[in-house]
Structures are given as structure tokens and as C-alpha cells.
Amino acid sequence: MMKLLRNAAITAVGLVCGLLLFFPWSTLARTLASAAANVAAENGIFLTISSSETSGLFSKSFTYSGVNADFPAFRFSAGEVTVTPSIISSLFSETKSCRLEMGRGSVVPVTRQALEWNGGTADISLTPQSLMIENIALAGKTSATGFAELSRETGKLTRAKMLIKVPAELDRALEMAGKMGMAPLTKVKSGEWRIER
């Protein structure tokens, strides 16, 4: 009996290793980018990605370059976005999770005053009900820390606790974003804002 279990375990490990080593990950990266663009388009967002590549042997990372997204009220741009999914835990759970790393980028609202950063990271979890963005750490001229949760049904912010710092001259842009209902923004002091819900 023990020999049978040991052989079954070895076979399972071999199958998983074979899958990780020989699966067409680059094709999957391109497919995911295309799917993301389609979902964005359905929600009124024009998303473009210049290129994609895959790295890592067992812990796979998908790196997308030249990421741009045009939202109704602002434009998002990032030179590089890397997604490292938790493949094994995501396979055996309703919750799909990944680590997001972002290079230099910006958000340009309708006021045309860019919110710029040098890089950032966050942990993302997707459940049937919500999108959770935790351990947000954005650094640069614009910095942000905290977490945010959005409803998948409505797309609205359901919970959040974030601190955002910007150059003081961008206070007006954030004030306008708050008045437009984009986020529940509260000014702490010049150049410092809080999102809490």
C-alpha cells in the first residue's frame, strides 16, 4: 500500500513539474493580455500592451511592457507591469491571487496634471464577489500605501484605507477627482490625501 502511495505521489509531482516546465507559458501570457483588453473594452476602457514575456522556472512571472489604459476620466500608463500568479493555490481555491510589480508610470486625469511614480507593488486577490488590492506600496513623486476592495458586481469601492502623497500642485486634481465621485478622498494636508471607506 505504501509503495502504491509513494508511486502515486511521484507520478503527481512529475506531472506538475512537466506542466510547469513544458506548458506554453508565452502563449498564455499573450492570451491573458488579449483577454484583459477585451474585458476592459466591455467596460469602456481602451487597453493596449506593447509586448509580453515570461520568466521563472517554477514560479512563473508574466511581464507586460508599454501598458496604457484610457479610462473615461483619466489615462493610465506604465512602462512595465509584472504579474506573478500563485498558480498552485489558485488552482485549488475559488480565490485567484497574484503579486503585481509596476515600473515607472503615471495617471493623467482630465486636468492634465500627471500623477507620476517610479515603481510599486501590491498583492491582488480575486474572489467571485470582489477584487482585493492589499499591501499597496507606490513610490515616487506620487506615493501610496494601504488597501482597497472593489465589488465585482458593481465595480465600486466597498472598503479602503489608503494614504496618498502627491506634489502640492496636484491637490486640485485630487480635489476634482473626489468631487467627481471617483474615490472618497479627504485632504489631510497639502500634498497628502486619505481614501477611507
Side-chain angles (χ1 to χ4, degrees):
M1 182 68 174
M2 290 300 291
K3 186 177 181 182
L4 181 64
L5 288 173
R6 188 173 61 244
N7 287 341
I10 290 169
T11 301
V13 169
L15 286 171
V16 170
C17 289
L19 177 67
L20 290 172
L21 290 172
F22 300 110
F23 189 82
W25 295 105
S26 296
T27 301
L28 177 62
R30 289 190 297 272
T31 302
L32 291 174
S34 179
N38 289 337
V39 170
E42 289 170 7
N43 291 282
I45 302 161
F46 181 64
L47 172 68
T48 59
I49 298 170
S50 298
S51 63
S52 65
E53 64 179 56
T54 307
S55 61
L57 189 58
F58 292 108
S59 178
K60 296 293 181 184
S61 292
F62 305 103
T63 301
Y64 300 97
S65 300
V67 180
N68 296 291
D70 290 313
F71 292 79
F74 63 91
R75 178 180 173 84
F76 168 89
S77 298
E80 192 172 272
V81 175
T82 299
V83 179
T84 305
S86 302
I87 296 172
I88 302 298
S89 64
S90 294
L91 283 175
F92 298 103
S93 168
E94 275 193 342
T95 302
K96 311 305 177 195
S97 57
C98 70
R99 176 80 168 162
L100 182 74
E101 297 174 68
M102 195 163 39
R104 185 179 301 275
S106 66
V107 167
V108 182
V110 291
T111 59
R112 299 197 179 276
Q113 295 171 297
L115 302 169
E116 300 173 310
W117 59 83
N118 296 328
T121 58
D123 294 316
I124 298 176
S125 301
L126 187 66
T127 70
Q129 296 80 29
S130 67
L131 170 66
M132 186 72 168
I133 308 168
E134 300 176 284
N135 303 316
I136 298 168
L138 199 64
K141 289 181 182 178
T142 298
S143 66
T145 56
F147 76 89
E149 183 178 21
L150 293 92
S151 165
R152 288 189 66 184
E153 185 179 337
T154 63
K156 292 183 178 177
L157 196 64
T158 53
R159 291 190 309 132
K161 188 170 185 179
M162 293 179 62
L163 184 64
I164 301 171
K165 295 181 180 178
V166 299
E169 62 268 20
L170 298 178
D171 279 347
R172 187 172 177 276
L174 288 182
E175 187 177 339
M176 183 178 287
K179 286 180 179 176
M180 290 173 67
M182 290 173 64
L185 286 154
T186 304
K187 189 174 183 178
V188 177
K189 61 183 181 182
S190 180
E192 193 169 306
W193 294 76
R194 186 173 61 245
I195 296 177
E196 198 159 1
R197 173 164 286 171

